[in-house]
Amino acid sequence: MCGIVGYVGSQMAVPVLIEGLRKLEYRGYDSAGIAVLEPGNGIAVERGEGKLAVLEAQIHGKEYIATTGIGHTRWATHGRPSVPNAHPHKVGRIALVHNGIIENYIPLRERMIAAGRTMNSETDTEVIAHLIDERMQQGDNAEAALRHVLGEVRGAYALGLVCEDAPDVVYAARKACPLVVGMGEGENFIASDIPAILAHTRRVIYLDDGEVAVLTADGVTVTRVDGTPVTHPVNVVDWNPVMAEKAGFKHFMLKEIHEQPSAISDTMMGRVTPDRDGVLLPEMEISDDALRALTRITIVACGTSWHAGLAAKYMIEAVARLPVEVDIASEYRYRDPLTGPGELILTITQSGETADTLAAMQEARKKGATLLTVCNVVGSSAARAADGVVYTHAGPEIGVASTKAFTTQLVALYLFAVHLGRVRGTLGAEGARELLDDLARLPGQVKMALAREDEAESLAKQFFRHRDFLFLGRGSMFPIALEGALKLKEISYIHAEAYAAGEMKHGPIALIDEEMPVVMLAPPGPQYEKVVANAMEVKARDGIVIAVVDDADTELSAKVDAVLRVPMAGPFASPALYTIPLQFLAYHIAVLRGCDVDQPRNLAKSVTVE
Ligand code: AGP
């Protein structure tokens, strides 16, 4: 949801900002812009509608020598994508970039208009720029004006500001939107996300809500909005710049699909006891006594992460015999949820910055619940808001469509379920060993599933012109059906729906005709025969059945129109494994339809607005 960058140092600012924006483009690509402080010439602003490439073409051949500047890539909220609505917004002697939403911008905007100011955009951000300029006209310097205005605006923001009066300074502020400060040698950075600065430094400070940072080439000072000094530890990020590159793959999504064996291994690494009958989750920081005392778990998440939560419910309830509810964060937070001490609120979030998930955590915190998060980004807002964290070690995920983040979430939740079962005494050592051995085989099985990419690709060639798809599964394959449908719709724009296979006869069966491909997830197990029966119901109505089965399957695969196979796997490891062919199917269909796989329309990777 918008990406911001800022640079101050001795390098030419423009290429540093553009490279930073390239790494942040996954956060929005409705427009892009930069503002740089040209020595002797004040602030120069360049803005282009659409992707970063438009801005790059616009500045090509222009010679900027500035060594200080800010940049922005936009996901439109207030005002459609256009140059006037693009950031940075320059008013008077300052220019501003913003990620977030200012909730009280309408009365503030009216006040500015009444004061005789002209608004050149429909954005909430331009109002902040005017408010700062107004204070500066009354005698404040940029920093004092910024602090004053932060006391007036309500809502969420990560801000970057430059001012002609202080050409070697970048100002930044944060509330409820991600912002990291990168600490270099003789240069410093701000960014919405770490990949934007990884090429320059791995040393970062995570700003907290209500903090202001002032960056020069020589140092960074962080204070509260009221000026109280704050000291933050400098964290060293263990991602490297290569991890955030495409490494020869055509798309980030494809690269990230292929990274799953190592991402899964990394997520498991060091977390199984030497006897393989227990799990070590030291950063979870929730005592065994507290886990034993739990009466219920509510999993709260959005999108793909919510699907991971739905899949985890089956395992946690089976292994730890504890009731698990799964809720969508944007629903949970607004319904005065019944929670409190004794309940674990388990949030799942790749980015750790999803606004709805963070708000749900705040709501649960107020009511006294214990907060655990499964998260991929160290130091993210969710990681800091929770009592404990189980990190997925997926590495940076750039493709907007989540792939390795999802399967590593499933793995982290698997480990958590085993841990909970062991601590609560519902899972014996032998049972744990079996489950952990199943999990240990998963990276190899995923590798084998990846080697079958061409099978999904040739199916994609057969089906990419279809307008609708159905995905069906039972038990923990139902969330995988949901995930398969989401992948397809978000990157190929094909209408896709998913149902618990048993629900088909209660309505969706009316959709079946000879044009409707139905992807049936059919692993072996107690529900297999029922899924076969559902597949036959589809066939009886001339529907096209694509079965996803394991290598040993003979029954269903003989009766359907097409088959995708995965290796045989343990029951709780199967959800991650069966996801792989669905990722490939969506990917290759999207490519064949000429869609922009890594930057699907209307989407942004990290949804930091409500
Ligand atoms: C799916 O491919 C999306 N990336 C999206 O549904 C995502 O899972 C959701 O926005 C939640 O994001 P989070 O995991 O970063 O909180």
Side-chain angles (χ1 to χ4, degrees):
M1 291 290 115
C2 299
I4 70 171
V5 283
Y7 174 74
V8 53
S10 55
Q11 298 189 59
M12 294 296 154
V14 171
V16 175
L17 296 172
I18 295 289
E19 274 319 301
L21 290 179
R22 201 184 313 289
K23 299 292 183 319
L24 295 179
E25 218 184 353
Y26 71 86
R27 300 178 66 86
Y29 26 83
D30 289 333
S31 63
I34 54 169
V36 291
L37 282 147
E38 281 294 285
N41 265 330
I43 294 174
V45 176
E46 295 276 4
R47 303 185 294 179
E49 182 186 333
K51 295 192 173 179
L52 183 61
V54 175
L55 175 70
E56 283 184 280
Q58 186 174 308
I59 59 177
H60 184 72
K62 294 188 184 171
E63 286 189 8
Y64 288 113
I65 55 167
T67 58
T68 305
I70 51 178
H72 187 270
T73 180
R74 179 167 187 248
W75 186 81
T77 56
H78 295 66
R80 60 183 191 81
S82 68
V83 172
N85 288 334
H87 302 212
H89 291 281
K90 181 173 182 303
V91 178
R93 306 194 304 280
I94 60 123
L96 182 77
V97 288
H98 169 216
N99 164 212
I101 288 182
I102 301 304
E103 286 167 1
N104 58 338
Y105 89 102
I106 291 176
L108 293 171
R109 182 184 165 96
E110 283 166 1
R111 199 182 95 201
M112 290 293 101
I113 292 170
R117 288 174 174 266
T118 306
M119 294 290 154
N120 294 311
S121 78
E122 303 152 89
T123 65
D124 48 347
T125 308
E126 191 190 0
V127 177
I128 314 177
H130 276 282
L131 288 166
I132 294 173
D133 180 57
E134 184 185 57
R135 291 294 301 183
M136 288 177 70
Q137 295 208 352
Q138 291 163 13
D140 275 359
N141 63 26
E143 184 180 338
L146 172 66
R147 289 181 194 278
H148 179 89
V149 170
L150 294 180
E152 275 193 272
V153 295
R154 255 198 348 262
Y157 52 77
L159 296 174
L161 173 83
V162 287
C163 175
E164 290 175 355
D165 303 344
D168 301 322
V169 183
V170 170
Y171 304 92
R174 170 206 151 122
K175 187 176 165 217
C177 284
L179 193 62
V180 294
V181 176
M183 313 284 287
E185 297 291 329
E187 56 184 3
N188 290 301
F189 308 80
I190 55 166
S192 298
D193 198 0
I194 291 162
I197 54 176
L198 265 185
H200 306 281
T201 182
R202 287 165 52 193
R203 300 172 65 240
V204 300
I205 288 175
Y206 302 108
L207 292 188
D208 280 329
D209 283 351
E211 291 181 352
V212 174
V214 179
L215 290 78
T216 63
D218 301 325
V220 177
T221 54
V222 182
T223 50
R224 306 284 310 157
V225 174
D226 65 8
T228 315
V230 178
T231 313
H232 280 296
V234 176
N235 301 272
V236 180
V237 179
D238 65 358
W239 294 353
N240 63 54
V242 179
M243 291 166 96
E245 299 297 340
K246 278 192 208 155
F249 285 92
K250 195 170 165 199
H251 295 102
F252 279 113
M253 181 182 177
L254 188 60
K255 173 188 169 236
E256 288 160 4
I257 289 173
H258 281 276
E259 281 173 347
Q260 288 174 108
S262 58
I264 289 171
S265 297
D266 290 349
T267 300
M268 284 159 44
M269 199 180 300
R271 286 174 159 170
V272 176
T273 58
D275 295 341
R276 302 185 346 273
D277 62 356
V279 167
L280 305 163
L281 295 172
E283 76 275 35
M284 197 173 74
E285 287 178 10
I286 298 174
S287 71
D288 289 357
D289 281 345
L291 292 178
R292 274 189 282 272
L294 291 176
T295 51
R296 188 173 68 158
I297 295 178
T298 297
I299 298 179
V300 184
C302 304
T304 288
S305 297
W306 175 64
H307 298 158
L310 288 170
K313 172 184 165 79
Y314 291 91
M315 182 166 187
I316 297 172
E317 288 192 342
V319 169
R321 306 306 297 155
L322 189 64
V324 178
E325 289 188 16
V326 188
D327 214 335
I328 294 169
S330 55
E331 292 295 314
Y332 179 85
R333 59 172 300 196
Y334 285 117
R335 58 150 216 271
D336 193 11
L338 294 171
T339 186
E343 183 175 5
L344 182 71
I345 301 299
L346 170 51
T347 53
I348 306 170
T349 167
Q350 184 284 130
S351 61
E353 302 294 349
T354 299
D356 287 318
T357 306
L358 294 174
M361 292 175 83
Q362 270 174 19
E363 190 62 29
R365 166 71 72 214
K366 268 194 253 157
K367 297 187 169 187
T370 302
L371 302 184
L372 176 65
T373 194
V374 170
C375 183
N376 192 41
V377 181
V378 176
S380 61
S381 302
R384 286 181 290 152
D387 297 300
V389 189
V390 179
Y391 283 112
T392 50
H393 295 297
E397 190 181 66
I398 310 290
V400 167
S402 199
T403 52
K404 62 177 180 170
F406 177 66
T407 47
T408 54
Q409 285 168 348
L410 294 175
V411 169
L413 291 160
Y414 191 118
L415 291 166
F416 173 67
V418 172
H419 182 63
L420 202 59
R422 291 297 280 138
V423 168
R424 293 174 65 87
T426 51
L427 180 67
E430 202 39 50
R433 207 167 286 128
E434 252 175 54
L435 288 173
L436 292 171
D437 285 351
D438 281 351
L439 189 62
R441 285 188 280 271
L442 183 61
Q445 291 159 342
V446 168
K447 210 178 245 172
M448 288 160 74
L450 292 174
R452 298 170 181 183
E453 179 175 355
D454 54 343
E455 292 168 20
E457 188 178 357
S458 62
L459 266 195
K461 286 181 184 148
Q462 237 177 296
F463 291 105
F464 76 97
R465 289 198 180 84
H466 284 253
R467 284 182 33 202
D468 308 278
F469 265 73
L470 267 186
F471 288 74
L472 302 177
R474 284 176 180 253
S476 59
M477 286 295 145
F478 165 47
I480 304 311
L482 285 167
E483 177 60 8
L486 178 64
K487 286 293 87 96
L488 187 63
K489 69 184 133 195
E490 67 182 337
I491 60 168
S492 75
Y493 318 139
I494 291 176
H495 168 238
E497 292 194 49
Y499 289 92
E503 271 292 291
M504 186 180 62
K505 57 188 175 292
H506 297 288
I509 198 163
L511 295 169
I512 308 283
D513 62 15
E514 64 285 352
E515 288 298 312
M516 176 68 88
V518 182
V519 179
M520 307 278 310
L521 301 170
Q527 311 238 49
Y528 177 79
E529 293 304 332
K530 305 263 181 243
V531 178
V532 173
N534 297 142
M536 293 308 99
E537 287 157 16
V538 174
K539 292 288 316 155
R541 284 151 186 90
D542 296 329
I544 307 158
V545 176
I546 302 169
V548 187
V549 294
D550 78 10
D551 282 336
D553 187 89
T554 50
E555 188 183 341
L556 182 60
S557 42
K559 295 176 176 161
V560 295
D561 303 276
V563 179
L564 288 169
R565 288 190 187 272
V566 295
M568 285 142 60
F572 295 114
S574 293
L577 191 57
Y578 279 64
T579 304
I580 308 296
L582 305 190
Q583 293 171 342
F584 277 142
L585 190 62
Y587 172 79
H588 285 292
I589 286 179
V591 170
L592 287 162
R593 288 168 73 94
C595 298
D596 189 340
V597 169
D598 282 334
Q599 296 179 341
R601 70 183 179 208
N602 304 338
L603 290 176
K605 178 120 192 107
S606 181
V607 185
T608 53
V609 297
E610 297 168 38

